[in-house]
PDB file of all heavy atoms in Angstrom:
ATOM      1  N   PRO B 206     123.978 105.706  74.357  1.00 91.00           N
ATOM      2  CA  PRO B 206     124.356 105.412  72.970  1.00 91.00           C
ATOM      3  C   PRO B 206     124.204 103.934  72.672  1.00 91.00           C
ATOM      4  O   PRO B 206     124.624 103.043  73.483  1.00 91.00           O
ATOM      5  CB  PRO B 206     125.798 105.906  72.894  1.00 91.00           C
ATOM      6  CG  PRO B 206     125.930 106.904  73.958  1.00 91.00           C
ATOM      7  CD  PRO B 206     125.040 106.506  75.047  1.00 91.00           C
ATOM      8  N   ASN B 207     123.677 103.569  71.524  1.00 88.00           N
ATOM      9  CA  ASN B 207     123.559 102.194  71.064  1.00 88.00           C
ATOM     10  C   ASN B 207     122.733 101.343  72.027  1.00 88.00           C
ATOM     11  O   ASN B 207     123.036 100.144  72.218  1.00 88.00           O
ATOM     12  CB  ASN B 207     124.932 101.573  70.801  1.00 88.00           C
ATOM     13  CG  ASN B 207     125.790 102.354  69.848  1.00 88.00           C
ATOM     14  OD1 ASN B 207     125.297 102.770  68.788  1.00 88.00           O
ATOM     15  ND2 ASN B 207     127.009 102.563  70.203  1.00 88.00           N
ATOM     16  N   SER B 208     121.755 101.966  72.674  1.00 89.00           N
ATOM     17  CA  SER B 208     120.968 101.222  73.634  1.00 89.00           C
ATOM     18  C   SER B 208     119.479 101.550  73.356  1.00 89.00           C
ATOM     19  O   SER B 208     119.131 102.590  72.841  1.00 89.00           O
ATOM     20  CB  SER B 208     121.321 101.616  75.040  1.00 89.00           C
ATOM     21  OG  SER B 208     120.366 101.067  75.991  1.00 89.00           O
ATOM     22  N   TYR B 209     118.612 100.614  73.747  1.00 88.00           N
ATOM     23  CA  TYR B 209     117.171 100.841  73.608  1.00 88.00           C
ATOM     24  C   TYR B 209     116.549 101.356  74.899  1.00 88.00           C
ATOM     25  O   TYR B 209     115.346 101.357  75.064  1.00 88.00           O
ATOM     26  CB  TYR B 209     116.458  99.536  73.176  1.00 88.00           C
ATOM     27  CG  TYR B 209     117.091  98.280  73.782  1.00 88.00           C
ATOM     28  CD1 TYR B 209     116.912  97.964  75.162  1.00 88.00           C
ATOM     29  CD2 TYR B 209     117.899  97.452  73.012  1.00 88.00           C
ATOM     30  CE1 TYR B 209     117.489  96.815  75.677  1.00 88.00           C
ATOM     31  CE2 TYR B 209     118.473  96.343  73.519  1.00 88.00           C
ATOM     32  CZ  TYR B 209     118.280  96.020  74.858  1.00 88.00           C
ATOM     33  OH  TYR B 209     118.887  94.886  75.357  1.00 88.00           O
ATOM     34  N   ALA B 210     117.356 101.784  75.823  1.00 91.00           N
ATOM     35  CA  ALA B 210     116.876 102.312  77.109  1.00 91.00           C
ATOM     36  C   ALA B 210     116.226 103.650  76.932  1.00 91.00           C
ATOM     37  O   ALA B 210     116.681 104.495  76.152  1.00 91.00           O
ATOM     38  CB  ALA B 210     118.041 102.399  78.142  1.00 91.00           C
ATOM     39  N   SER B 211     115.114 103.886  77.663  1.00 91.00           N
ATOM     40  CA  SER B 211     114.450 105.193  77.693  1.00 91.00           C
ATOM     41  C   SER B 211     114.492 105.755  79.089  1.00 91.00           C
ATOM     42  O   SER B 211     114.765 105.060  80.042  1.00 91.00           O
ATOM     43  CB  SER B 211     112.981 105.042  77.204  1.00 91.00           C
ATOM     44  OG  SER B 211     112.272 104.234  78.140  1.00 91.00           O
ATOM     45  N   GLY B 212     114.154 107.001  79.207  1.00 92.00           N
ATOM     46  CA  GLY B 212     114.127 107.688  80.492  1.00 92.00           C
ATOM     47  C   GLY B 212     113.108 107.036  81.462  1.00 92.00           C
ATOM     48  O   GLY B 212     113.403 106.822  82.619  1.00 92.00           O
ATOM     49  N   SER B 213     111.976 106.608  80.921  1.00 92.00           N
ATOM     50  CA  SER B 213     110.936 106.011  81.736  1.00 92.00           C
ATOM     51  C   SER B 213     111.399 104.646  82.256  1.00 92.00           C
ATOM     52  O   SER B 213     111.180 104.277  83.397  1.00 92.00           O
ATOM     53  CB  SER B 213     109.630 105.908  80.960  1.00 92.00           C
ATOM     54  OG  SER B 213     109.829 105.074  79.780  1.00 92.00           O
ATOM     55  N   ALA B 214     112.065 103.850  81.355  1.00 93.00           N
ATOM     56  CA  ALA B 214     112.521 102.527  81.781  1.00 93.00           C
ATOM     57  C   ALA B 214     113.598 102.593  82.821  1.00 93.00           C
ATOM     58  O   ALA B 214     113.573 101.860  83.844  1.00 93.00           O
ATOM     59  CB  ALA B 214     112.987 101.711  80.538  1.00 93.00           C
ATOM     60  N   VAL B 215     114.605 103.429  82.607  1.00 95.00           N
ATOM     61  CA  VAL B 215     115.759 103.533  83.552  1.00 95.00           C
ATOM     62  C   VAL B 215     115.219 104.116  84.872  1.00 95.00           C
ATOM     63  O   VAL B 215     115.659 103.704  85.920  1.00 95.00           O
ATOM     64  CB  VAL B 215     116.854 104.432  82.953  1.00 95.00           C
ATOM     65  CG1 VAL B 215     117.983 104.639  83.978  1.00 95.00           C
ATOM     66  CG2 VAL B 215     117.409 103.799  81.696  1.00 95.00           C
ATOM     67  N   ALA B 216     114.364 105.109  84.801  1.00 95.00           N
ATOM     68  CA  ALA B 216     113.810 105.667  86.045  1.00 95.00           C
ATOM     69  C   ALA B 216     113.087 104.587  86.859  1.00 95.00           C
ATOM     70  O   ALA B 216     113.131 104.594  88.085  1.00 95.00           O
ATOM     71  CB  ALA B 216     112.850 106.866  85.709  1.00 95.00           C
ATOM     72  N   TRP B 217     112.352 103.715  86.145  1.00 95.00           N
ATOM     73  CA  TRP B 217     111.615 102.682  86.876  1.00 95.00           C
ATOM     74  C   TRP B 217     112.607 101.662  87.523  1.00 95.00           C
ATOM     75  O   TRP B 217     112.401 101.264  88.648  1.00 95.00           O
ATOM     76  CB  TRP B 217     110.696 101.915  85.935  1.00 95.00           C
ATOM     77  CG  TRP B 217     109.861 100.897  86.634  1.00 95.00           C
ATOM     78  CD1 TRP B 217     110.013  99.537  86.580  1.00 95.00           C
ATOM     79  CD2 TRP B 217     108.798 101.109  87.535  1.00 95.00           C
ATOM     80  NE1 TRP B 217     109.078  98.921  87.370  1.00 95.00           N
ATOM     81  CE2 TRP B 217     108.317  99.887  87.976  1.00 95.00           C
ATOM     82  CE3 TRP B 217     108.140 102.258  88.004  1.00 95.00           C
ATOM     83  CZ2 TRP B 217     107.266  99.714  88.864  1.00 95.00           C
ATOM     84  CZ3 TRP B 217     107.137 102.166  88.899  1.00 95.00           C
ATOM     85  CH2 TRP B 217     106.644 100.888  89.287  1.00 95.00           C
ATOM     86  N   VAL B 218     113.678 101.350  86.870  1.00 95.00           N
ATOM     87  CA  VAL B 218     114.711 100.460  87.452  1.00 95.00           C
ATOM     88  C   VAL B 218     115.318 101.101  88.687  1.00 95.00           C
ATOM     89  O   VAL B 218     115.479 100.448  89.724  1.00 95.00           O
ATOM     90  CB  VAL B 218     115.820 100.150  86.415  1.00 95.00           C
ATOM     91  CG1 VAL B 218     116.933  99.367  87.081  1.00 95.00           C
ATOM     92  CG2 VAL B 218     115.192  99.304  85.278  1.00 95.00           C
ATOM     93  N   MET B 219     115.641 102.375  88.614  1.00 95.00           N
ATOM     94  CA  MET B 219     116.188 103.071  89.754  1.00 95.00           C
ATOM     95  C   MET B 219     115.212 103.181  90.872  1.00 95.00           C
ATOM     96  O   MET B 219     115.534 102.955  92.015  1.00 95.00           O
ATOM     97  CB  MET B 219     116.593 104.503  89.318  1.00 95.00           C
ATOM     98  CG  MET B 219     117.799 104.555  88.362  1.00 95.00           C
ATOM     99  SD  MET B 219     118.125 106.287  87.862  1.00 95.00           S
ATOM    100  CE  MET B 219     119.683 106.100  87.007  1.00 95.00           C
ATOM    101  N   TYR B 220     113.946 103.495  90.550  1.00 95.00           N
ATOM    102  CA  TYR B 220     112.928 103.569  91.571  1.00 95.00           C
ATOM    103  C   TYR B 220     112.757 102.251  92.317  1.00 95.00           C
ATOM    104  O   TYR B 220     112.657 102.263  93.563  1.00 95.00           O
ATOM    105  CB  TYR B 220     111.652 104.040  90.924  1.00 95.00           C
ATOM    106  CG  TYR B 220     110.418 104.033  91.873  1.00 95.00           C
ATOM    107  CD1 TYR B 220     110.295 104.941  92.877  1.00 95.00           C
ATOM    108  CD2 TYR B 220     109.455 103.030  91.776  1.00 95.00           C
ATOM    109  CE1 TYR B 220     109.235 104.964  93.736  1.00 95.00           C
ATOM    110  CE2 TYR B 220     108.373 102.979  92.670  1.00 95.00           C
ATOM    111  CZ  TYR B 220     108.275 103.969  93.601  1.00 95.00           C
ATOM    112  OH  TYR B 220     107.206 103.953  94.498  1.00 95.00           O
TER     113      TYR B 220
END
Side-chain angles (χ1 to χ4, degrees):
N207 304 315
S208 171
Y209 34 75
S211 66
S213 59
V215 177
W217 184 253
V218 173
M219 291 177 172
Y220 172 73

